[in-house]
């Protein structure tokens, strides 16, 4: 979800915006701690790249940690979607869809 | 305007919260993560909360999320640590750190050697003292649940001092055993020395004759063979014996077939039935090597006049010591009412066995532990200062490593690894030093000290573990401050200062100064304690013992009981011994006595004068010395009134005695005691004696003991199978006549063992074992502390001169003289020294409490000693400051100006 949110946000993906995007798309609130832990893991695996951007006054002069999806991250998202679609094949009647 | 001021105030408060939160996060996260995390929270707070809620609510929300994030970080870290790959990474990291640390120490041999030597001395001292405390006090006693075991004595009060207890009479023992409600079992023993002959050699050993349930009460059983069975306790002709592990190995070579073999004790044959396990067992006064059954039948069972037994009892579960005391006190009161002639004024005194056996020297051990603790603190402080200086020298190296990507925690870990490596290496050397010191320490604890288990003092696995733990603790104490400082080093400022050499920041300089002042304070404390103890020892050695100790040879005789069955035979033997030894060339006079000077246990006996009743004179008591007629001549004790004892006094109808001056002055003030008859209550009998002489006071119990009333009466009237012979010789070294004495005694009776042959001067030296031990160790620690404090001062001043080179150079360039520069530098050193001395005086007050009861003839805060120690410290400190001061006056001002 975090990786998808970063992909959706493009160049404006950072802790606050990622959380807001997930809330807007799914209606779920995710804890900040979970997001930061996930960002570390995604970066360690090479799925995203992070860097510190310029500070802004509304952040008390502190820099943002911006994120961008890397090629490995894109591949991981595509693979995950493919697997999901394959697993869903033939299940529509069970869930009341023809 | 109020709203504006209020708004500004709120904003300022929020800024404080943000700064605090960032500091807290900074303890766990790298700076970039702190900035982004804190920034995100602040953005959310300003955007979402502040518009809707009061600032206080927003701040509460902010802190809730900060702590939530911290908990998640901690949880994640713990989970990562438990993962196997985390262990692999950690090990790789540790080995890399160790390699770097080892290389760094190798490249600085001077620094490394100084730190190793300093630490090794401290850890060695700590391990040595611990080896003593571990062997004597910490090791559990070899009994089942020893904390439930108690000694039970007779005494005049239920809670007497350890020195005022009496053995127990058999009838009282049986009454207490039968009537008590607090003990699950009770037993007793009676100790005496016996002459053991196994094979050809004879020796004197301590034996315990034990009553039924002895081994069961203690909860220890034989390692080889068995303990005694019921029939052996009941049968008076039983001749079974159990050996100690030490005796078994020493005399029987650890022969597994020792059970059934014969040994001879006091010329009576016994059969060995068992061997006890090693370490069984120390008591307050002796370590037994043989056990025999004590059948308490017939007259003895009902005796209330034979002070024979030392009972040991095991408390019932749930019964406390006060409850047990109350119960036995009640029984004792009942017995006093039933048997007033023998039991009036006596009650039962219960003492926990571990405390009685091991706790009598607690004050001495606490003093030694406190002293070595202070030395260890000084060592840590000294090394911390050295490491602090080194971190300044390495600032450039650490700054470059930080610039190349080493995190703060990595640098801290690296510095701590170096400290730990130094500590481990020093611990190894320290353990070696402790190993080497074991024998000298044992030599300072002679048999006269009666400290149990001194033979077990050794450097074992417990001592090595202690040294390891100590080294880890010390590496944390002295390594933390320099490590944290190294992590705070800024790259830019450090690299810019590359040309100026090693410098410490203001905070670090103040820390270094504070450490040196602390060293001086602690050194003063140790030196003051050592000074008091040294003066105390000097005072003790100057005490006139009241008799001449030079040229006196002493030895102990054990009369073989089987060959001399009654008192007359014993007296005849002792007369022969005295006569034949007197005829030896080089012997001027010979005396016999039941107790040797400087090793006496005082038992006061009450007496009344003719015409007095016991109720009118309840507090008259004196110690009894049984001596031969030549005792006063041989020892050189002057007779101040009347006459000495004579050989024909034994034949006189009314026995006679000589008293000492203290007794005469206390009980006959301003009167003449000669011709007075007194009746001494020996419980078994009442003996009336006439005083025929008054002798000068002699310090027969010990030079530190106060004078005590003493009665001297003829040994021949109540001879002892154990007695001591004292010979006044013509030789400066009386031991030279030893072989001739042994040969003559062997001719008299070759089965009569002779032991403990030594000079009276040796006996006097051994009696001062405690002040000698304290003096040796405290003086050594004090000198080490002084050396470390001087080295610390030298280091701080030396660095200060380096840092102030420019300033001092400018002073010189502007015309300041050498004296002025010297004053500047020495002034700094003296200020530190005097600060340390002022702090140390406060510490001395606390330390002086440990010296109470350890000093003689001097107060624990003796002004003369304190002044001398302060002067010594100041002189040494000034000398340590001289070298840096002389270096300062040699600064070339032109060179300094050129470098500006």
């Amino acid at each position: 979800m975090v990786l998808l949110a970063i992909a959706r946000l493009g160049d404006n993906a950072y802790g606050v915006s990622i959380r807001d995007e997930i809330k807007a798309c799914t209606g779920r609130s995710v804890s900040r701690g979970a997001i930061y832990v996930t960002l570390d893991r995604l970066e360690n695996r090479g799925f995203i790249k992070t860097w510190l951007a310029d500070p802004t006054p509304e952040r008390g002069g502190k820099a943002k940690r911006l994120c961008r999806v890397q090629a490995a991250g894109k591949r991981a998202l595509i693979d995950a979607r493919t697997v999901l679609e394959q697993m869903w094949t033939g299940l529509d009647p069970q869930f009341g869809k023809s | 305007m109020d709203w504006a001021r209020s708004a500004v105030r709120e904003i300022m408060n929020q800024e404080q919260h943000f700064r605090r939160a960032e500091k807290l996060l900074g303890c766990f996260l790298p700076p970039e993560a702190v900035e982004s995390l804190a920034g995100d929270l602040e953005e959310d707070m300003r955007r979402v909360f502040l518009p809707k809620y009061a600032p206080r609510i927003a701040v509460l929300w902010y802190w809730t999320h900060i702590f939530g994030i911290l908990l998640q970080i901690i949880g994640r870290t713990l989970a990562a640590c438990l993962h196997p790959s985390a262990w692999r990474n950690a090990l790789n990291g540790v080995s890399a750190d160790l390699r770097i640390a080892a290389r760094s120490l190798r490249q600085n041999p001077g620094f490394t050697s100084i730190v190793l030597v300093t630490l090794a001395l401290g850890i060695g001292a700590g391990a040595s003292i611990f080896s003593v405390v571990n062997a004597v006090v910490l090791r559990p006693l070899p009994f089942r649940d020893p904390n439930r075991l108690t000694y039970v004595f007779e005494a005049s009060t239920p809670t007497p001092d350890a020195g005022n207890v009496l053995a127990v009479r058999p009838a009282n023992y049986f009454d207490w055993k039968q009537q008590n409600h607090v003990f699950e079992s009770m037993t007793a023993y009676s100790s005496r020395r016996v002459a053991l002959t196994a094979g050809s050699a004879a020796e004197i050993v301590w034996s315990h004759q034990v009553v039924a349930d002895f081994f069961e009460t203690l909860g220890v059983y034989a390692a080889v063979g068995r303990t005694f069975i019921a029939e052996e306790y009941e049968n008076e002709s039983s001749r079974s014996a159990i050996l100690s592990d030490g005796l078994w190995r020493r005399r029987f070579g650890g022969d597994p077939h020792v059970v059934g073999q014969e040994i001879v004790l006091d010329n009576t044959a016994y059969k060995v039935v068992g061997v006890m396990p090693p370490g069984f067992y120390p008591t307050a006064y002796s370590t037994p090597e043989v056990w025999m059954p004590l059948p308490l039948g017939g007259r003895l069972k009902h005796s209330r006049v034979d002070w024979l037994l030392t009972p040991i009892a095991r408390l019932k579960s749930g019964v406390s010591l006060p409850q047990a005391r109350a119960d036995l006190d009640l029984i004792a009161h009942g017995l006093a009412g039933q048997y007033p002639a023998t039991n009036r004024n006596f009650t039962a005194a219960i003492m926990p066995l571990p405390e009685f056996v091991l706790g009598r020297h607690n004050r001495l051990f606490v003093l030694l532990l406190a002293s070595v603790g202070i030395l260890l603190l000084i060592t840590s402080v000294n090394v911390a200062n050295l490491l602090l200086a080194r971190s300044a020298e390495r600032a450039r190296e650490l700054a470059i490593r930080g610039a190349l990507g080493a995190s703060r925690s990595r640098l801290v870990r690296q510095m701590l690894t170096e400290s730990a490596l130094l500590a481990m290496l020093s611990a190894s050397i320290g353990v070696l030093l402790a190993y080497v010191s074991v024998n000298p320490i044992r030599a300072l604890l002679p048999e006269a000290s009666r400290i149990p288990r001194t033979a077990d003092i050794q450097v074992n696995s417990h001592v090595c573990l202690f040294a390891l733990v100590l080294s880890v603790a010390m590496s944390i104490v002295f390594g933390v401050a320099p490590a944290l400082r190294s992590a705070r080093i800024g790259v830019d400022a450090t690299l810019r200062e590359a040309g100026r050499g090693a410098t410490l920041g203001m905070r670090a300089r103040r820390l270094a100064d504070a450490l040196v002042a602390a060293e001086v304070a602690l050194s003063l404390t140790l030196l003051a304690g050592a000074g008091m103890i040294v003066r105390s020892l000097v005072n003790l050695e100057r005490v006139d013992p009241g008799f001449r100790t030079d040229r006196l040879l002493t030895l102990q005789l054990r009369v073989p009981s089987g060959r001399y069955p009654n008192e007359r035979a014993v007296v005849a033997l002792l007369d022969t011994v005295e006569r034949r030894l007197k005829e030896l060339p080089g012997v001027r006079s010979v005396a016999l006595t039941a107790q040797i000077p400087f090793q006496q246990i005082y038992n006061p006996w009450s007496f009344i004068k003719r015409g007095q009743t016991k109720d009118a004179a309840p507090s008259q008591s004196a110690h009894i010395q049984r001596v031969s007629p030549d005792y006063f001549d041989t020892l050189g004790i002057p007779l101040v009134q009347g006459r000495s004892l004579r050989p024909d006094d034994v034949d006189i109808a009314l026995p006679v005695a000589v008293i000492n001056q203290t007794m005469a002055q206390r009980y006959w003030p301003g009167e003449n005691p000669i011709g007075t008859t007194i009746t001494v209550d020996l419980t078994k009998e009442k003996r009336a004696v006439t005083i025929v002489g008054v002798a000068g006071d002699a310090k027969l119990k010990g030079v530190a003991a106060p004078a005590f009333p003493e009665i001297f009466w003829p040994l021949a009237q109540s001879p002892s199978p154990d007695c001591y012979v004292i010979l006044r010789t013509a030789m400066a070294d009386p031991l030279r006549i030893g072989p001739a004495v042994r040969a003559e005694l062997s001719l008299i009776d070759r089965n009569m063992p002779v032991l403990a042959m030594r000079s009276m001067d040796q006996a006097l030296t051994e009696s001062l074992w405690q002040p000698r031990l304290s003096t040796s160790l405290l003086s050594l620690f004090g000198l080490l502390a002084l050396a470390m404090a001087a080295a610390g001062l030298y280091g701080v001043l030396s660095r200060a001169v380096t840092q102030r080179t420019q300033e001092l150079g400018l002073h010189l360039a502007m015309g300041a003289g050498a004296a002025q520069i010297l004053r500047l530098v020495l002034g700094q050193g003296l200020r530190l020294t005097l600060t340390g001395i002022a702090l140390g005086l406060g510490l001395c007050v606390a330390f002086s409490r440990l010296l109470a009861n350890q000093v003689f003839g001097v107060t624990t805060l003796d002004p003369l000693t304190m002044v001398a120690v302060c002067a010594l410290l100041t002189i040494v400190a000034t000398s340590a400051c001289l070298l840096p001061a002389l270096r300062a006056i040699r600064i070339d001002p032109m060179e300094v100006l050129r470098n500006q």
Side-chain angles (χ1 to χ4, degrees), chain A residues 14 32-33 36 59 62-63, chain B residues 22 40 42-44 72:
Chain A
Y14 66 103
R32 280 177 187 72
Y36 297 128
R59 294 169 62 84
K62 297 177 187 61
Chain B
E22 283 162 43
D40 285 352
E42 204 175 317
E43 183 185 325
D44 257 343
Q72 284 188 320

Side-chain angles (χ1 to χ4, degrees), chain A residues 14-16 19-20 31-34 36-37 40-41 52 55-65, chain B residues 15 18 22 32-44 46-47 61 65 68-69 72-73 76:
Chain A
Y14 66 103
V16 173
R19 195 165 172 267
D20 289 345
S31 77
R32 280 177 187 72
Y36 297 128
V37 166
D40 280 343
R41 283 194 193 138
L52 281 179
T56 56
E58 63 174 357
R59 294 169 62 84
K62 297 177 187 61
K64 287 181 200 178
R65 185 185 176 197
Chain B
E15 290 299 327
F18 296 146
E22 283 162 43
E32 312 79 36
V34 170
E35 189 171 353
S36 63
L37 227 157
D40 285 352
L41 271 176
E42 204 175 317
E43 183 185 325
D44 257 343
R46 288 188 204 276
R47 194 166 54 101
W61 169 91
H65 278 81
I69 289 167
Q72 284 188 320
I73 291 167
R76 182 180 54 149

